Amino acid sequence: MDLFSQIEDPERDEIFALRKELEQANYQYYVLNTPTMSDYDFDQKLRRLQDLEALHPDMFDANSPTQHVGSDLINEDNVAEQHTTQQREADNVQSTNNAKHITRSPKGFAQVAHKYPMLSLSNTYSQEEVEEWLEKLPEGVEIVCELKFDGLSISLWYENGILTKALTRGDGTKGDNVIENIRTISSIPQSIPIANSQYPIAKNFLELRGEVLLSWEAFERLNKEREAAEEPLFANPRNAASGTLKLQDPNEVARRGLDCYLYYMLGENLPANTHYDRLQIAKQWGFPISDAVKVCHSLEEVMDYIHYWDTERKNLPVATDGIVLKVNDLATQEELGYTAKSPRWAIAYKFPAEKQLTRLNAITYQVGRTGVVTPVANLEPVQLSGTTVQRATLHNEDFIRQLDIREGDMVWVEKGGEIIPKVIGREAPLSGSLEDGASAYSLEVKGEEYTFPTNCPECGANLVRIEGEAAWRCPNESGCPPQIKGKMEHFVSRKAMNIDGLGSETIDLLYSQGLLKNIADIYALTQEDIAKQERLGEKSAQNMLAGIEASKQVPWARVLFALGIRMVGETTAKKITRRFPSIDQLQWATVEQLTAIEDVGEQIAKNIIAYFNDLGNLEIINRLREAGVQMQSIEEEQTPQSDILQGKSIVVSGVFSLHSRDEYKAIIEANGGKNVGSVSKKTSFILAGENMGPEKRKKAESLGVEIITEEAFLAILKGEK
Ligand code: IVH
């Protein structure tokens, strides 16, 4: 293919676009635990990509999402909930066995190579596809049907009968060792009673794989707590389980109550010749194996199983999203083998997402933090996957127009993997009779033809639609209430200025009182202002003000991110501040200078320049600066070179909000101190962040070693203590 056709070929572009979109969706799902795409949409796009790649074999790429499973491994930029107790485990593992396989993920989990790759399953969505798969198998094979639990996979290692490791799937070849968190699950045996077993299994190594999950009950309890604490909610039990398993505080994990089902045994010299028998043996050994596992002998039996559980699963205490079909005979499994991503001897049948037909009473609009105006369906309340749904997204103008949706229509609503239900279609208008199953509703006269509003429903500004985008936006960034409040919410959020005690409800309240009009007003709040609010009182006022004070130490890179310049995310902000170590330099940056930075494209550069061209923004920046917010890199301003910590041995432990752990270690060294890993009599003090390991704390207390906060530590550096 010549260069010209490579550039012109829309299918090639589509391949690139799909790869990017699917990688992003994988990342959102496996790492951030905030899915943006339903499983169904993901699989449709993946299939399209597979088809296109088959048509363009020269575009084969081993990194394509068609060639590897999604990865839950974390890199430095997306460390979400950090704690430290697991560090000890990581240290232990590193110093004992397998040392050459182990690296450390930034969260402190040891990454360990899987003994056998951890693959995924290929998905099917219809009876026909299941039938096709069965037809390809040797005649008369037995099929084991199992529930497909909707959690995250785990690999448990039993060495000499003792549980030694628990690895997440990771990227399929290596995973995070989350053993301490797995130990909180009481149904998982800590050892196997091999000695009492009638089976001569290899005593040295046995692996069991399964799914870690949170019950509906535990999930709802957790979300209620998060709602009360104004923390973001988990979209579903799977995301909650995934977030929980990656916590580094096993006490918190234990409190949340994870559960587990195991469905696969691996190792050498294993007992039995069939998958089913192995599961039953594992059950005898005390492993949590589902009672729903069944051997089927025909398509009919398989279909009966699927239909039975499609209804019955709604009564289960845990979420399931399909059925897994596996060839029972292990020798046949081996003959069938594997593709790059999944075994040929197993498939998943995914249940269709639950959908309901209901009446669209009205279309209203929601204006988001970035000004995007989303049409919202206000529905006749309807039961969907256990909850009452009254509102659902209508996506954008094009969606509504394409389906010709109008107020009064009967629409289909679905709850996919995402937290917000969505309208997925409209019932076709009927020309015929009620006999075809038509409801009285659908015979009603069609409502008015739909038109998208021309003005912002919140502030009245003229909406704009940027070419190539589906969304309408309100351009009134500094005068439109949800945008102002959204900007403030972003500013105070954990990854930005991390201001405790100032959540979205409080922002709402202080905004409505006229006390907060922009982010700079946060630094003008007084004890009196806050305490006189009925809902808040003295104590909250103190907490909030302490949080605001502490935020003045937040480094420049995070301040830049916190400003909320469109498309300047956390990572981009870090890269920009490396090139522009102070806001005064950044303010005068040109498009050329900005686009020379990795990851900064022309649009981002334009957004930055537009931001600094706005007088209102300049005033806000000045006020933030006067309040003491960091507007230049600490390295520039005060890489605190001194010998103030001379002779001090310091242990750094926990999760910090003002600098990273590594930054603190560098600061200690730059000031003459010595970093040490474990607490002893000789330790001068412990610099402790949140969730410091309980062992360390105990030891420090018993030895009388002082534990100080990061604020106190920074005060020492400034000579204030
Ligand atoms: S068997 C090589 N059985 O589904 C076969 N997987 O989409 C490995 N899952 O990664 C998987 N319930 O996390 C199997 N009864 C079950 C399952 C199950 C849930 C998950 C598992 C896997 C994913 C594939």
Side-chain angles (χ1 to χ4, degrees):
M1 184 146 314
D2 62 41
L3 186 62
F4 182 72
S5 54
Q6 284 198 12
I7 294 166
E8 286 295 299
D9 188 346
E11 285 189 347
R12 291 176 163 270
D13 292 346
E14 196 180 343
I15 290 179
F16 287 124
L18 282 169
R19 283 178 182 165
K20 201 167 161 202
E21 196 181 354
L22 293 171
E23 283 305 347
Q24 178 63 25
N26 262 334
Y27 176 73
Q28 292 277 352
Y29 184 91
Y30 287 108
V31 179
L32 300 183
N33 297 318
T34 50
T36 46
M37 200 184 276
S38 69
D39 289 359
Y40 181 77
D41 290 347
F42 184 91
D43 285 330
Q44 295 302 312
K45 286 178 200 267
L46 192 70
R47 278 187 194 183
R48 170 81 184 143
L49 179 57
Q50 270 161 348
D51 293 346
L52 288 172
E53 287 180 347
L55 290 173
H56 297 272
D58 58 311
M59 285 190 69
F60 173 83
D61 181 351
N63 290 321
S64 167
T66 56
Q67 302 299 316
H68 65 87
V69 300
S71 171
D72 64 33
L73 296 176
I74 294 148
N75 56 45
E76 193 117 35
D77 282 337
N78 52 52
V79 176
E81 294 184 86
Q82 285 204 10
H83 310 273
T84 55
T85 46
Q86 214 101 20
Q87 194 76 37
R88 274 179 298 120
E89 166 63 18
D91 291 341
N92 291 342
V93 179
Q94 201 151 35
S95 58
T96 53
N97 44 17
N98 269 4
K100 66 176 182 300
H101 293 301
I102 299 169
T103 51
R104 176 85 40 80
S105 86
K107 275 187 122 180
F109 293 117
Q111 282 180 4
V112 181
H114 288 298
K115 284 235 159 84
Y116 309 90
M118 252 177 128
L119 301 174
S120 170
L121 290 171
S122 63
N123 289 331
T124 60
Y125 289 88
S126 67
Q127 179 159 343
E128 291 74 50
E129 286 176 294
V130 171
E131 212 173 324
E132 268 171 35
W133 178 73
L134 287 172
E135 274 167 9
K136 278 192 231 143
L137 300 176
E139 209 157 311
V141 289
E142 288 181 338
I143 301 295
V144 180
C145 292
E146 299 171 17
L147 292 172
K148 186 169 187 306
F149 296 104
D150 197 9
L152 55 149
S153 27
I154 194 78
S155 147
L156 306 177
W157 289 21
Y158 287 85
E159 289 169 287
N160 301 317
I162 310 287
L163 175 63
T164 53
K165 290 191 185 68
L167 309 183
T168 65
R169 181 162 76 166
D171 62 3
T173 59
K174 57 182 184 308
D176 281 336
N177 187 7
V178 291
I179 179 77
E180 288 200 29
N181 291 343
I182 288 299
R183 288 195 204 284
T184 69
I185 304 176
S186 53
S187 59
I188 295 181
Q190 299 290 321
S191 60
I192 318 174
I194 293 176
N196 302 332
S197 161
Q198 53 173 304
Y199 301 102
I201 68 156
K203 290 198 174 166
N204 44 6
F205 185 78
L206 179 86
E207 182 176 342
L208 280 152
R209 289 190 183 167
E211 201 81 350
V212 172
L213 31 80
L214 264 185
S215 66
W216 285 108
E217 196 187 340
F219 160 70
E220 273 151 26
R221 189 178 52 219
L222 177 60
N223 258 358
K224 275 206 186 99
E225 287 168 11
R226 291 174 75 89
E227 196 169 2
E230 295 192 18
E231 283 166 355
L233 302 187
F234 287 114
N236 51 46
R238 196 211 82 88
N239 300 127
S242 175
T244 302
L245 196 62
K246 294 279 175 127
L247 288 175
Q248 297 208 0
D249 176 6
N251 293 325
E252 174 60 15
V253 178
R255 208 187 60 77
R256 292 189 186 180
L258 289 172
D259 205 345
C260 182
Y261 283 102
L262 300 172
Y263 46 64
Y264 193 24
M265 191 191 281
L266 286 146
E268 279 159 32
N269 300 327
L270 298 182
N273 298 321
T274 65
H275 170 66
Y276 182 82
D277 287 350
R278 280 192 182 161
L279 291 188
Q280 298 318 307
I281 291 164
K283 197 178 208 166
Q284 284 171 24
W285 285 337
F287 285 96
I289 308 289
S290 161
D291 290 332
V293 182
K294 185 174 182 233
V295 182
C296 292
H297 303 85
S298 64
L299 173 67
E300 288 67 44
E301 275 186 58
V302 169
M303 284 304 152
D304 284 350
Y305 185 94
I306 289 178
H307 293 142
Y308 174 79
W309 281 108
D310 195 4
T311 320
E312 204 48 38
R313 73 193 184 106
K314 288 164 196 150
N315 300 321
L316 292 173
V318 295
T320 51
D321 61 345
I323 299 293
V324 181
L325 310 176
K326 298 174 185 168
V327 168
N328 194 20
D329 182 58
L330 298 167
T332 316
Q333 280 192 4
E334 207 166 304
E335 274 166 34
L336 289 164
Y338 298 83
T339 70
K341 274 181 80 168
S342 51
R344 289 200 188 84
W345 47 263
I347 54 162
Y349 166 81
K350 301 276 283 237
F351 293 125
E354 213 189 322
K355 57 179 185 176
Q356 285 291 349
L357 193 60
T358 188
R359 186 187 161 94
L360 170 63
N361 288 331
I363 300 177
T364 55
Y365 299 88
Q366 200 168 319
V367 184
R369 171 171 84 83
T370 56
V372 170
V373 182
T374 306
V376 178
N378 292 255
L379 306 162
E380 199 62 37
V382 65
Q383 281 296 113
L384 200 57
S385 316
T387 53
T388 308
V389 172
Q390 257 173 303
R391 283 156 61 85
T393 176
L394 277 162
H395 313 279
N396 52 50
E397 181 188 19
D398 295 348
F399 177 80
I400 302 175
R401 281 190 183 281
Q402 271 154 21
L403 297 179
D404 189 21
I405 292 176
R406 303 180 191 191
E407 289 182 346
D409 280 352
M410 293 300 287
V411 290
W412 287 104
V413 202
E414 180 184 291
K415 220 163 131 191
E418 310 84 358
I419 203 160
I420 305 166
K422 56 189 179 184
V423 171
I424 51 160
R426 176 176 66 88
E427 192 63 358
L430 289 183
S431 52
S433 64
L434 282 170
E435 270 133 53
D436 312 327
S439 70
Y441 273 138
S442 22
L443 286 174
E444 280 179 14
V445 182
K446 203 130 176 65
E448 299 240 332
E449 194 183 335
Y450 176 75
T451 48
F452 206 87
T454 50
N455 293 79
C456 174
E458 294 281 345
C459 72
N462 279 333
L463 298 181
V464 291
R465 186 168 166 174
I466 297 168
E467 226 186 286
E469 277 188 24
W472 283 91
R473 254 178 220 285
C474 167
N476 184 15
E477 266 184 63
S478 52
C480 180
Q483 295 192 62
I484 300 171
K485 284 188 274 182
K487 263 197 162 41
M488 287 195 268
E489 279 166 22
H490 168 73
F491 185 80
V492 302
S493 65
R494 197 159 43 85
K495 288 185 171 185
M497 303 302 278
N498 192 25
I499 302 182
D500 268 350
L502 190 53
S504 60
E505 281 177 32
T506 313
I507 289 178
D508 234 13
L509 178 73
L510 297 176
Y511 176 80
S512 67
Q513 304 285 310
L515 289 166
L516 286 185
K517 293 193 210 68
N518 61 46
I519 52 175
D521 290 342
I522 293 172
Y523 294 89
L525 287 174
T526 64
Q527 173 92 14
E528 267 179 355
D529 286 341
I530 308 167
K532 75 175 177 227
Q533 307 295 325
E534 238 172 63
R535 247 197 50 221
L536 295 174
E538 294 288 335
K539 186 78 195 127
S540 338
Q542 276 167 18
N543 284 345
M544 200 186 300
L545 290 173
I548 293 171
E549 198 49 38
S551 76
K552 295 177 186 173
Q553 310 282 349
V554 166
W556 158 226
R558 269 172 48 193
V559 174
L560 175 60
F561 168 61
L563 291 179
I565 302 175
R566 199 168 288 159
M567 291 167 77
V568 178
E570 221 187 337
T571 313
T572 313
K574 271 190 204 155
K575 290 183 178 160
I576 294 173
T577 54
R578 259 177 236 145
R579 167 71 180 78
F580 294 100
S582 76
I583 201 162
D584 298 321
Q585 289 161 291
L586 180 61
Q587 191 178 337
W588 302 109
T590 62
V591 173
E592 292 71 33
Q593 287 171 331
L594 287 166
T595 50
I597 302 170
E598 191 192 0
D599 281 1
V600 178
E602 198 157 307
Q603 192 52 51
I604 300 187
K606 283 185 180 157
N607 293 348
I608 293 171
I609 290 169
Y611 180 87
F612 287 109
N613 278 341
D614 183 312
L615 286 181
N617 289 337
L618 295 183
E619 191 194 320
I620 288 174
I621 288 170
N622 279 337
R623 287 179 58 207
L624 291 175
R625 191 201 304 266
E626 272 161 29
V629 172
Q630 303 288 322
M631 296 287 185
Q632 58 184 345
S633 296
I634 192 150
E635 291 85 346
E636 258 261 306
E637 182 199 22
Q638 44 162 305
T639 296
Q641 301 282 356
S642 77
D643 53 6
I644 215 164
L645 300 175
Q646 193 68 47
K648 299 247 188 289
S649 295
I650 302 163
V651 173
V652 183
S653 176
V655 181
F656 300 93
S657 51
L658 303 176
H659 296 281
S660 69
R661 201 190 332 217
D662 285 343
E663 278 168 1
Y664 277 121
K665 287 187 175 170
I667 292 174
I668 288 171
E669 274 171 20
N671 288 281
K674 190 169 152 215
N675 287 297
V676 286
S678 54
V679 184
S680 73
K681 273 195 310 237
K682 291 188 196 142
T683 309
S684 312
F685 61 83
I686 301 179
L687 167 54
E690 241 181 87
N691 295 298
M692 165 184 171
E695 294 293 317
K696 276 202 179 110
R697 182 172 291 277
K698 237 202 247 151
K699 195 154 180 204
E701 278 163 5
S702 72
L703 294 172
V705 174
E706 201 187 352
I707 300 175
I708 67 169
T709 63
E710 55 184 323
E711 286 84 5
F713 175 72
L714 293 171
I716 293 176
L717 285 185
K718 285 189 191 155
E720 288 168 11
K721 260 198 165 182

